[in-house]
Each structure stands twice: as structure tokens, then as C-alpha cells.
Amino acid sequence: MDVKVLYNISYGMYIVSSNKADAFNAQVANTVFQITNDPVTIAVSINKLNFTHEFMKSSLQFGVSILSEETPLNFIGNFGFKSGRDISKFKDINFKILNSGCPVVLDNAISYLEAKVINSLDCGTHTLFLGKVSDSAVLRPGKVMTYEYYHQIKQGVTPKTAPTFIKEEISTTIKSEVKMGKYKCSVCGYIYDPQKGDPDGGIAPGTPFEKIPDNWVCPVCGADKTQFIPL
């Protein structure tokens, strides 16, 4: 089987959120899609190991914030490469608590939806949640970030718990990026390219890795500079 075929399936970039009593959690997801229009139903695939899965099973509701192309990598890293079991993902984040008690993230979002879980399907490592949309709003105009844009333009990587994670992806990415001066984050797989720098992190294009300030961190997962290895 040629796994590269799977790269041709289109996805978006979303923050899926939920609540459990008075606690909130959220994560990055790329498999959110509309199922029907009357009533409006959507589905999302969530890894059973993720903390958000526990919240959605408990409250039977979830929110979806649709991210714009301008969303910085460290914002995605906060929700995609860190666990709500260890940190409060909503700290210093603008969000809204809907009438149901479910939160939705407002920062970097162009719109949001809320859905009540009406069914679910056990898919082995993941659960596919089917939800009936109960609330939605457009926050501002903007271009939606696609998964392709996240990978090709933002140079983002895929968490291992994502439904679209492919084991060969890491080794393939490394092979294509092995050029003098590039460094890989040993935690999440992000590759620092001196030609592109890290504009969101204040590192101008053309900056060698050795010249990056010691307090710089991985724009995706927040790992410090010492956790990068040369390619």
C-alpha cells in the first residue's frame, strides 16, 4: 500500500473543546466534517488516549473553533503537543463559555460551532463522535487554515495521536530535509530551517541555528534549544 495516497485527502485545522463539570480542555484536530444539513450534524475523530476524549464522553458535547491561516505554530503546539493533564491549556487564552457550559476558543479562530453528541462509533484507537450542531457563529473574515497549508507553509508536524499520523511521515520528512544547517526537535519532529527562520518567534530568515538565542523554544511544542539535534 502506498501511504502517500493519504496525503491527497483534504483536511482543515481546528481546536476541539469540551467540558467536564467545571473543567475545560481542548485539542487540535484535523478530522472535523459535516455529515448532514437537516439537521446539521458534524463528526470528529478523537484519540481515546487524549484528555479531550474523556471530557466529550462525560459531557456529550463539544465545540469546534475553525483556525485561520495566521494562527502561529506555538498556539497550535499548545493545544496539539501538550496535555491538559499537565497544564491548563486555556491559561492566557481568549475563549467563550456557551449556554451549555461548553467552551470554544476565540483566539485565531474565524468561526466556531457547538454540537451535542448524538452517536459515536468505536474505531479502535479513536472514537468517531457524531454531533448535532446547537450553536455557531462567524467571528471575523479570514482564510481557513488547511492541513496542507499547516504542513507546507507553516512547516507544522503531526502529533502521534492524530488520526492522520503516518509512521513513515517522520522518516520521509527527515530524508527530504537533510541539508546543511537544519535541526530537528527531538520531542515533536519540527525542523528548523535557517533559510526560513522562525518569524513568529522573532527569528529572521537566514539565521543559523547556532545564532538563535538560548531562550528560544520550539515553535510547535515549546521544547528548549538543547533538545534539537542536527540533521
Side-chain angles (χ1 to χ4, degrees), residues 48 120-128:
K48 294 177 182 178
S120 62
L121 176 65
D122 188 328
C123 300
T125 57
H126 291 66
T127 297
L128 185 69

Side-chain angles (χ1 to χ4, degrees), residues 61-115:
Q61 59 190 14
F62 61 94
V64 177
S65 299
I66 302 172
L67 299 179
S68 73
E69 285 187 350
E70 290 77 27
T71 304
L73 278 179
N74 60 359
F75 182 86
I76 296 174
N78 177 64
F79 288 98
F81 288 88
K82 298 178 181 178
S83 173
R85 297 182 179 93
D86 304 321
I87 66 167
S88 173
K89 294 188 178 183
F90 284 85
K91 182 181 179 182
D92 301 324
I93 297 294
N94 291 316
F95 65 97
K96 178 180 181 179
I97 302 175
L98 304 178
N99 291 334
S100 64
C102 183
V104 286
V105 174
L106 303 180
D107 284 341
N108 300 301
I110 62 174
S111 56
Y112 69 79
L113 306 99
E114 180 195 38

Side-chain angles (χ1 to χ4, degrees), residues 5-14 30-33 146-148 164:
V5 170
L6 300 176
Y7 295 139
N8 295 323
I9 301 176
S10 297
Y11 303 95
M13 288 293 287
Y14 315 95
N30 64 348
T31 49
V32 176
F33 45 95
T146 64
Y147 204 47
E148 180 181 24
T164 55

Side-chain angles (χ1 to χ4, degrees), residues 43-77:
V44 58
S45 177
I46 301 293
N47 194 295
K48 294 177 182 178
L49 297 177
N50 290 357
F51 203 32
T52 306
H53 185 278
E54 180 181 320
F55 281 49
M56 292 171 66
K57 292 282 285 187
S58 174
S59 67
L60 295 179
Q61 59 190 14
F62 61 94
V64 177
S65 299
I66 302 172
L67 299 179
S68 73
E69 285 187 350
E70 290 77 27
T71 304
L73 278 179
N74 60 359
F75 182 86
I76 296 174

